Amino acid sequence: MMEQRIVFHVDFDYFYAQCEELRNPELKTKPVAVCVFSDRGGDSGAIATANYVARKYGVKSGMPIKFAKKRLKEVSDAVFLPTDFDYYSEISQKAMDTIKEYADIFEYVGKDEAYLDVSKRTGGSFVSAGHLAQQLKNAVRNSTKLSCTVGVSVNKLVSKIASDFKKPDGLTIVPSDKVETFLDPLPIRSIPGVGKKTEEKFVEMGLETISDLKKLDVFSLNSMFGRKTGAYIYNAARGIDDEPVSQRQEATQYSRITTLKQDSKDYDFLAKDLERLCEDVHATILKDNILFKSVGIQFVQSDLSNKTKSKMLKNSTSNLDELKKTALQLLRESLDDQKMPVRRIGVKVSELSQVSGQDNITRYF
Ligand code: DCP
Ligand code: CA
Ligand code: CA
């Protein structure tokens, strides 16, 4: 029997835009939209996020920059900024270092969110967890000036929903005996992974709230969505989630290495293994919703010395062909002046960033 768990979900408020406000406090009273400009030039591209002043005008993550500009046409002090991922990463790391101190188990999810298992240090008490969450919020503000929102409950799922409930600078505590009261009136869309399309299906059936959703038995949900997703939605509506908070830090690179069947410096022979390694790495970065901007290869030579070579791409990508192409090009270049045969070969991707709009249902299994 598992003891009473207590889990925090911490989410930094309007993250990129808040980072911009930190280094330029004059922005705080103005509408601020952070833009991912595409390489087509002009205003083509999408809004990464916006501060709450801009949100009042309907500016949202994912919206084309052109639409956002239209919405803010009448507002003379509106500010549109390009993204500065390195700077956001720096702030994120500092804030994450602060948060970690409050966890028994710390699970990094992305630049602006993390789960913390605090069962041990709170002894399963929600009163004590409430104090701890407040302390954490204060500590983040002291170390970085960032505001964040915290959801507190018995599991990751309900805490994630709770942290979405009241933002920015929110703290929503859902003790074990309040899970049902908390979830029932919420729109079905509040369940992580339930997007517009899924929501529409339910609306057609006359179901709008999580309470309505509970009228469906697990078999109906299975036949609508398949067994895995059906079961997920069935349990989510009841606040059931057993997934543990699992220790995870921010990855700075993903790599794979293998020992060759025999030492060699033959391009075709090495290329075969290298391509397979690329496919392996690629599967992981897809699962983790990661983009990379740098590709590197590594040789361990027959005398066990190392040789590495890497290349920075023009844009961040998650494309397998680009990964393979770059790795093979590096292989070709490395073999040009290769004296010793190669014993082991490896590939790595780094300069990582998160894919935007990653809230896709498969991420929750
Ligand atoms: N992001 C992005 N593109 C999206 C969604 C998000 O580039 N379609 C980036 C910018 C956000 C960051 O990810 O700052 C975190 O996303 P959240 O969904 O948590 O949103 P915010 O932190 O911006 O706002 P909120 O205050 O609602 O948490
Ligand atoms: Ca956020
Ligand atoms: Ca988030």
Side-chain angles (χ1 to χ4, degrees), residues 11-17 36 47-50 52 55 61-63 83 85 111-113 149 164 167-168 354-359:
D11 191 295
F12 306 150
D13 299 321
Y14 60 104
F15 185 53
Y16 296 178
V36 183
I47 300 297
T49 194
Y52 280 74
R55 287 183 198 192
S61 295
M63 169 183 275
T83 51
F85 293 117
K111 292 241 172 312
D112 87 319
E113 58 188 276
T149 294
D164 229 24
K167 9 165 81 171
Q354 205 85 24
V355 176
S356 4
Q358 77 276 53
D359 261 9

Side-chain angles (χ1 to χ4, degrees), residues 83-99:
T83 51
D84 180 350
F85 293 117
D86 291 343
Y87 168 62
Y88 310 147
S89 293
E90 201 183 298
I91 306 252
S92 166
Q93 268 173 24
K94 218 165 157 193
M96 290 293 174
D97 284 346
T98 303
I99 293 177

Side-chain angles (χ1 to χ4, degrees), residues 22 54 72 85 116 133 166 169 191 197-198 203 225 286 308:
L22 289 186
L72 290 168
F85 293 117
L116 284 69
K166 186 184 159 287
D169 202 13
I191 296 173
K197 272 202 210 135
T198 314
V203 169
F225 302 103
L286 275 195
T308 61

